[in-house]
Amino acid sequence: MSSIFTKIIKGDIPSYKVAESESHIAFLDINPIAEGHTLVVPKKEIDYVFDLPDDLFSETMSFAKKVAGAVDRALKPIRTGVVVDGREVPHAHIHLIPIYKNTQEVALRNKVKVSKSRMEEISAAIAKEVIL
Ligand code: 5GP
């Protein structure tokens, strides 16, 4: 069965997309821990990020760097943090987490409420800053 992220990639379920290339996609996490929490996903469905072939792993990190730059320009956090977990969705992905305060914890259990209209606003703002 396809992962939920493959369904997003195929357009079978919606997402707040911020960037897409032939091999990668980035969209807002539906249950963010900070405004602008973004997932970077290689389209090839491989569960464990460290099982990605070296070239795809490097491309994924390069793509994540470009998306993080767009997050930084659009939302002006102190910086953007990176988390790799993967225990919920078995399709390799990188969490990009804008850090707005030095006291902000970067923990995937710390969900915040972001309205649909704000998610739309944020994804459009990030998308506008993406340079691939
Ligand atoms: P992990 O697998 O790294 O522990 O976490 C998976 C992340 O994917 C979670 O932060 C969760 O909120 C997010 N997620 C799960 N299902 C969906 C979905 O259908 N759409 C989006 N945009 N994010 C999802």
Side-chain angles (χ1 to χ4, degrees), residues 4-17:
I4 194 89
F5 292 165
T6 294
K7 290 183 178 138
I8 288 174
I9 290 159
K10 287 183 174 161
D12 294 341
I13 62 169
S15 71
Y16 299 98
K17 187 163 79 174

Side-chain angles (χ1 to χ4, degrees), residues 17-95:
K17 187 163 79 174
V18 303
E20 184 165 15
S21 71
E22 216 174 287
S23 54
H24 291 80
I25 191 167
F27 47 82
L28 297 185
D29 193 298
I30 202 72
N31 270 313
I33 68 163
E35 284 198 354
H37 177 173
T38 299
L39 302 174
V40 172
V41 185
K43 291 184 177 176
K44 194 172 164 72
E45 189 177 324
I46 292 173
D47 174 359
Y48 185 34
V49 73
F50 294 124
D51 281 338
L52 296 178
D54 286 353
D55 54 350
L56 183 57
F57 181 80
S58 300
E59 272 180 53
T60 303
M61 294 311 276
S62 298
F63 192 81
K65 181 177 173 179
K66 289 173 186 161
V67 176
V71 170
D72 287 341
R73 288 188 290 277
L75 305 177
K76 313 240 177 321
I78 298 169
R79 60 176 55 201
T80 290
V82 176
V83 172
V84 178
D85 186 321
R87 284 174 291 176
E88 184 184 327
V89 177
H91 184 149
H93 55 280
I94 292 173
H95 296 255

